[in-house]
Amino acid sequence: GENVEQHPSTLSVQEGDSAVIKCTYSDSASNYFPWYKQELGKRPQLIIDIRSNVGEKKDQRIAVTLNKTAKHFSLHITETQPEDSAVYFCAASMAGSSNTGKLIFGQGTTLQVKP
Amino acid sequence: EPEVTQTPSHQVTQMGQEVILRCVPISNHLYFYWYRQILGQKVEFLVSFYNNEISEKSEIFDDQFSVERPDGSNFTLKIRSTKLEDSAMYFCASSGRGSRSYNEQFFGPGTRLTVL
């Protein structure tokens, strides 16, 4: 069945360093890949997403890269700040009029940014 | 900015009891979802709903679960006879026309269900 693997499960970095979180998906028909940030006890919030017709997307300090051939996608956070500390989830979906758009989530990465 | 809302924020129930979790999706959205998150685990898809019917459901969504959009604004998840393993955070999400990205799913704040 559909599956998304996410690594690492925990990541600790010093403030100002970069953080990279990687995901692999199983269903080659997936074409939409969002990343969500979830602070403790809060709802998941979309921080960036990418579609399969694009290889890279950047929004200020965050960027996402997609390798369709390898079925990998990664989140890159540069110049990390303590407020970046949270759990980050990757997800994969089949978007389009004939699909339901359900999100299959990875296991999550707990990012700790030390001041 | 419009948000998905959910009530109650926390529901405590006895095993075997029925619970109804309520959601108000963003008003011009067309696709509605329920997900659950067991404490410390990943978010899992339960069901998607479009055009007043279930469009897809997961293995978790068995005969004890049902969804309804009774009045064009609310979207409910009913668990008929709760089990201990139903204890989790339940998130409602919606997407569709009017989103920054058509596929972007907006999540509600969640309902924490505790089954005793």
Side-chain angles (χ1 to χ4, degrees):
Chain A
E2 304 138 319
N3 190 41
V4 175
E5 294 290 332
Q6 182 172 348
H7 299 281
S9 56
T10 59
L11 180 59
S12 181
V13 299
Q14 287 296 134
E15 182 177 0
D17 287 350
S18 295
V20 180
I21 303 170
K22 299 182 179 182
C23 289
T24 304
Y25 60 99
S26 61
D27 194 333
S28 56
S30 297
N31 58 9
Y32 173 66
F33 307 93
W35 285 87
Y36 284 85
K37 176 183 180 182
Q38 186 179 32
E39 296 174 359
L40 193 62
K42 301 272 184 75
R43 73 185 82 193
Q45 298 263 22
L46 181 79
I47 55 171
I48 195 167
D49 55 14
I50 192 168
R51 299 180 190 287
S52 58
N53 59 348
V54 174
E56 185 173 356
K57 184 177 177 182
K58 192 172 181 182
D59 184 3
Q60 299 182 349
R61 294 187 298 109
I62 58 173
V64 57
T65 57
L66 172 65
N67 182 330
K68 278 196 305 182
T69 304
K71 293 190 279 187
H72 289 168
F73 58 114
S74 300
L75 177 72
H76 304 253
I77 306 174
T78 58
E79 300 171 29
T80 52
Q81 299 164 3
E83 51 265 39
D84 294 329
S85 297
V87 180
Y88 291 80
F89 289 97
C90 63
S93 173
M94 283 182 277
S97 58
S98 59
N99 297 305
T100 64
K102 71 177 182 188
L103 295 173
I104 304 298
F105 283 86
Q107 295 90 333
T109 296
T110 301
L111 174 64
Q112 182 187 30
V113 180
K114 298 178 186 174
Chain B
E1 188 174 335
E3 286 190 330
V4 177
T5 59
Q6 288 184 245
T7 54
S9 57
H10 192 188
Q11 174 91 47
V12 181
T13 190
Q14 294 290 325
M15 191 168 56
Q17 294 296 303
E18 174 183 287
V19 294
I20 297 176
L21 310 183
R22 292 184 166 80
C23 168
V24 179
I26 294 172
S27 64
N28 58 355
H29 282 185
L30 302 174
Y31 302 88
F32 313 110
Y33 306 86
W34 283 101
Y35 295 87
R36 80 170 186 190
Q37 186 178 32
I38 295 170
L39 189 64
Q41 297 187 22
K42 67 177 176 179
V43 178
E44 299 175 288
F45 168 75
L46 291 178
V47 65
S48 59
F49 193 86
Y50 170 71
N51 203 24
N52 285 319
E53 61 182 20
I54 291 174
S55 47
E56 188 170 0
K57 56 185 180 180
S58 72
E59 292 175 354
I60 303 167
F61 195 89
D62 62 21
D63 292 346
Q64 294 302 310
F65 291 86
S66 62
V67 289
E68 200 175 37
R69 189 159 157 79
D71 57 13
S73 62
N74 291 286
F75 180 49
T76 62
L77 174 70
K78 182 193 290 187
I79 309 175
R80 259 181 276 282
S81 177
T82 49
K83 302 189 276 282
L84 294 175
E85 53 265 38
D86 293 327
S87 294
M89 180 74 94
Y90 288 80
F91 291 105
C92 171
S94 70
S95 70
R97 202 171 292 134
S99 304
R100 175 184 63 84
S101 159
Y102 194 89
N103 305 110
E104 177 181 353
Q105 290 186 27
F106 292 81
F107 281 73
T111 293
R112 179 162 297 287
L113 176 64
T114 302
V115 182
L116 303 175

